[in-house]
């Protein structure tokens, strides 16, 4: 059986000099999800290969004669995934299966463009699923499968979260990945645990995969790190040498997190690491010391908001003062802090961009990511706000652009606030300061982010015209 995996790109890869400086415009790091599943299938089936539009074009001559094609979609890439699926079904007899976060939460929508949907993470369901299809049978005994028989929707039940997640992805199964890994805009990634015990209303990951935290063995994490570093740095002199631990909440299981950090330290691996975190880790001095000893240089904090009202509205267990105190303690331990923020909470008003920029400067935040509030079907915030979405089903906009009508600020104003905050934080003055005062990797990172944020702002500015047209069309008409 010939099996191919496709990862669609919202903006598919193309050759450009920008790829060496600007992330996410025409290049981005492929996700590990399809690689993990392909690695599992490769144990039993010889002809398995992946394509990611993040780093390459798809070789259609190779794909169209496959027997089975998996397409993994996030919300932002769902529309592109549907285009690819429709093309395959028009030009091939292959069976098309959708998976990934968006398909897990929106299975019936995805099924309009494919033959099957396989929901959930897939580590323990993909082999029995493929075995059934290879035998000419329906995957009736595989939890999480979805398909149609005539007008009847067949649903085998909720997917079961896998317990064994120790598989180390074979990065060589992704077409052109080894060649493209030399770009400084692409970083090695390792996912060490899955799940988050919290219940933030906008979090699609909890909605799709649940709140149970599952972990990989420290030995598997360390070996995955070794292989990722070797894959990216073999025979190369990369400037931006940093590995990203991509867990949604690495510190949810504290004892396990300590064991992983100790394993990294004992392994003797000398590398720079970054990781996402909730603010609470900022009060754990032992953990911060271990992070520093293991080679971690910064923590990307999911701060999201600056107002206690917003934290409470979306069930984000934080307070403004706790965030400030945590940031200060993290920095006292010699670790940089990066901030991930959301604009468009119900309490946000004009001026939020200036408030964020002032916060970043006052608290010495080394870098930022701002996204407008997002609403993925299946999440509580979607159910409470779907009547305020500007365009239903326009998933390609879910890349940080404004997608809804906030309560106290117009869509145009909100997008302008994102642009203003980015422009102030990544100003020419701050770039000059970074080039003169920062050292090593920190200097390189700010330079790269300066170009990246300029690219983001350019896209947001172009989008203003569309938002103005929406506002004009939906402006209340005078009575009488």
């Amino acid at each position: 059986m010939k099996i191919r995996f496709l990862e669609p790109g919202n903006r598919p890869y193309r050759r450009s000099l920008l790829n060496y400086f600007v992330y996410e415009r025409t290049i981005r790091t492929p996700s590990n999800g399809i690689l993990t599943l392909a690695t599992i299938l490769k144990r039993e089936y010889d002809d398995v290969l992946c394509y990611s539009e993040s780093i390459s074009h798809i070789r259609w001559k190779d794909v169209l004669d496959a027997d089975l094609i998996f397409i993994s979609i996030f919300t932002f890439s769902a529309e592109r995934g549907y285009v690819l699926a429709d093309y395959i079904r028009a030009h091939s007899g292959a069976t098309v299966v959708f998976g990934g976060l968006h398909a897990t939460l929106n299975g019936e929508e995805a099924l309009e463009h494919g033959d099957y949907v396989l929901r959930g993470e897939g580590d323990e369901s993909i082999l029995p699923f493929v075995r059934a299809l290879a035998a000419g049978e329906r995957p009736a005994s595989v939890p999480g499968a979805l398909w149609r028989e005539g007008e009847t929707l067949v649903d085998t039940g909720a997917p079961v979260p896998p317990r064994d997640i120790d598989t180390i992805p074979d990065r060589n199964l992704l077409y052109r990945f080894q060649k493209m890994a030399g770009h400084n805009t692409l970083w090695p990634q390792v996912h060490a645990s899955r799940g988050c015990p919290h219940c933030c209303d906008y979090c699609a990951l909890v909605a799709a995969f649940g709140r149970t935290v599952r972990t990989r063995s420290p030995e598997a994490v360390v070996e995955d790190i070794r292989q990722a570093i070797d894959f990216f740095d073999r025979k190369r002199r990369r400037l931006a040498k940093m590995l990203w631990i991509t867990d949604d909440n690495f510190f949810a299981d504290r004892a396990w997190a300590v064991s992983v950090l100790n394993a990294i330290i004992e392994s003797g691996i000398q590398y720079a690491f970054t990781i996402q975190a909730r603010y609470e880790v900022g009060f754990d001095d032992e953990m911060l010391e271990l992070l520093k000893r293991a080679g971690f240089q910064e923590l990307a904090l999911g701060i999201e908001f600056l107002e206690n009202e917003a934290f409470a509205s979306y069930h984000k267990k934080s307070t403004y003062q706790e965030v400030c105190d945590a940031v200060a303690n993290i920095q006292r331990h010699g670790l940089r802090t990066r901030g991930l923020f959301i604009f468009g909470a119900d309490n946000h008003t004009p001026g939020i961009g200036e408030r964020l920029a002032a916060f970043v400067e006052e608290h010495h935040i080394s870098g930022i990511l701002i996204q407008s509030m997002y609403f993925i079907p299946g999440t509580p915030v979607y159910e409470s706000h779907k009547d305020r979405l500007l365009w239903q089903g326009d998933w390609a906009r879910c890349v940080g652009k404004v997608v809804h009508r906030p309560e106290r600020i117009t869509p145009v104003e909100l997008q302008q606030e994102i642009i203003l905050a980015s422009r102030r934080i990544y100003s020419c003055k701050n770039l000059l300061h970074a080039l003169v005062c920062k050292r090593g990797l920190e200097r390189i990172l700010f330079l790269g982010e300066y170009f990246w944020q300029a690219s983001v702002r350019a896209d947001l500015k172009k989008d203003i015209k569309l938002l103005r047209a929406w506002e004009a069309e939906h402006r209340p008409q005078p009575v009488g």
Side-chain angles (χ1 to χ4, degrees), residues 25 103 110 113 168 185 309 319 333 370 442:
R25 190 161 191 87
H113 304 271
I168 296 174
T185 42
E309 179 184 350
T319 68
H333 284 267
I370 308 172
E442 190 175 6

Side-chain angles (χ1 to χ4, degrees), residues 178-208:
Q178 178 66 80
K179 178 178 177 63
M180 302 304 291
H183 288 70
N184 285 302
T185 42
L186 303 181
W187 289 7
Q189 297 182 355
V190 168
H191 210 71
S193 67
R194 302 180 194 173
C196 178
H198 298 282
C199 53
C200 303
D201 286 355
Y202 42 81
C203 182
L205 292 164
V206 170

